Amino acid sequence: AQSVTQLGSHVSVSEGALVLLRCNYSSSVPPYLFWYVQYPNQGLQLLLKYTSAATLVKGINGFEAEFKKSETSFHLTKPSAHMSDAAEYFCAVSDSDFGNEKLTFGTGTRLTIIP
Amino acid sequence: EAGVTQFPSHSVIEKGQTVTLRCDPISGHDNLYWYRRVMGKEIKFLLHFVKESKQDESGMPNNRFLAERTGGTYSTLKVQPAELEDSGVYFCASSQDKFGQGASNEQFFGPGTRLTVL
């Protein structure tokens, strides 16, 4: 069975500082990994996804994540936080088996940006 | 292009009542998913439609939940009778199977329906 663990339900960083949101996964097959963001009163929006093409994945809004198989991690980073980054972030995994598309999510990390 | 829409945005009902949630996927998306987030916990998969067929309903909590997707367009999720533990946010998502990419297809999420059972 697949699972995702997000360390830290709340993270606060100062505007302009590095953002690091942690995600570790467990999967019996090569995984597909995703980061989604949810802004207030909106649906989840895909930030980026890993599908085995490249270990360093660049997403929207300046975010990127690195797949590290040895550490079973897929941490999300952004070099310089902006006030508009305040939101809740979800890491998710799905099996790479064709047709098995359901996402297994972590519990989410709420990011607060301090002015 | 319109995104995934869900109706209602909020619903407050009493225990024992019936509620029906609706999801309109992005036009042309054959895959439709329902997920639920109970407060403070992870978003959990409920079921997956491919067109009008249930591909995977392993996440449905019990037989009080009934999902339908008549004609392969919009979907409804009915809870009857509702219990206190059914409270949460119900998300719908849709995806298009591009060139058989399967699990790597992006799922587009709606804003969710917040259900409160009193």
Side-chain angles (χ1 to χ4, degrees):
Chain A
Q2 306 166 102
S3 66
V4 168
T5 302
Q6 291 184 242
L7 296 177
S9 57
H10 291 83
V11 171
S12 296
V13 301
S14 297
E15 188 175 15
L18 171 72
V19 175
L20 171 60
L21 304 183
R22 300 178 186 274
C23 172
N24 288 86
Y25 71 91
S26 173
S27 178
S28 58
V29 298
Y32 287 169
L33 292 160
F34 306 79
W35 274 99
Y36 280 86
V37 60
Q38 185 181 24
Y39 299 104
N41 300 316
Q42 295 185 29
L44 281 73
Q45 179 182 3
L46 182 66
L47 274 178
L48 49 81
K49 67 180 180 183
Y50 166 76
T51 58
S52 76
T55 56
L56 182 62
V57 183
K58 295 187 183 297
I60 62 172
N61 301 338
F63 284 93
E64 63 182 37
E66 186 172 7
F67 173 72
K68 292 187 177 180
K69 184 177 179 180
S70 61
E71 299 177 8
T72 61
S73 69
F74 190 58
H75 302 330
L76 182 70
T77 60
K78 181 174 180 177
S80 177
H82 191 273
M83 295 300 294
S84 61
D85 295 327
E88 191 161 20
Y89 293 79
F90 296 91
C91 183
V93 63
S94 71
D95 276 346
S96 59
D97 290 348
F98 177 78
N100 188 355
E101 300 185 22
K102 64 184 178 186
L103 296 171
T104 300
F105 285 90
T107 50
T109 298
R110 186 168 297 280
L111 177 65
T112 300
I113 310 299
I114 303 166
Chain B
E1 178 183 287
V4 177
T5 58
Q6 294 187 243
F7 182 83
S9 57
H10 293 82
S11 180
V12 181
I13 61 172
E14 295 194 349
K15 175 182 174 181
Q17 290 186 319
T18 298
V19 63
T20 300
L21 313 181
R22 173 173 170 142
C23 168
D24 286 78
I26 293 172
S27 177
H29 282 193
D30 288 339
N31 296 297
L32 187 149
Y33 308 82
W34 283 97
Y35 294 87
R36 177 176 72 172
R37 188 184 193 195
V38 173
M39 189 169 61
K41 301 204 171 180
E42 70 271 30
I43 301 169
K44 283 195 171 181
F45 167 82
L46 296 178
L47 88 159
H48 170 204
F49 283 99
V50 178
K51 297 184 181 179
E52 67 275 10
S53 299
K54 292 176 184 175
Q55 180 80 4
D56 180 355
E57 52 184 330
S58 62
M60 295 287 265
N62 50 60
N63 59 11
R64 294 185 295 102
F65 289 75
L66 175 64
E68 295 180 323
R69 192 181 182 195
T70 307
T73 54
Y74 71 91
S75 174
T76 58
L77 180 64
K78 180 190 287 187
V79 185
Q80 179 182 29
E83 298 289 345
L84 299 179
E85 64 265 24
D86 301 332
S87 295
V89 180
Y90 290 76
F91 291 102
C92 176
S94 70
S95 74
Q96 181 184 40
D97 187 7
K98 296 178 182 176
F99 313 115
Q101 288 180 22
S104 70
N105 291 317
E106 177 179 355
Q107 294 184 25
F108 294 84
F109 281 77
T113 293
R114 182 174 296 278
L115 174 64
T116 303
V117 183
L118 302 175

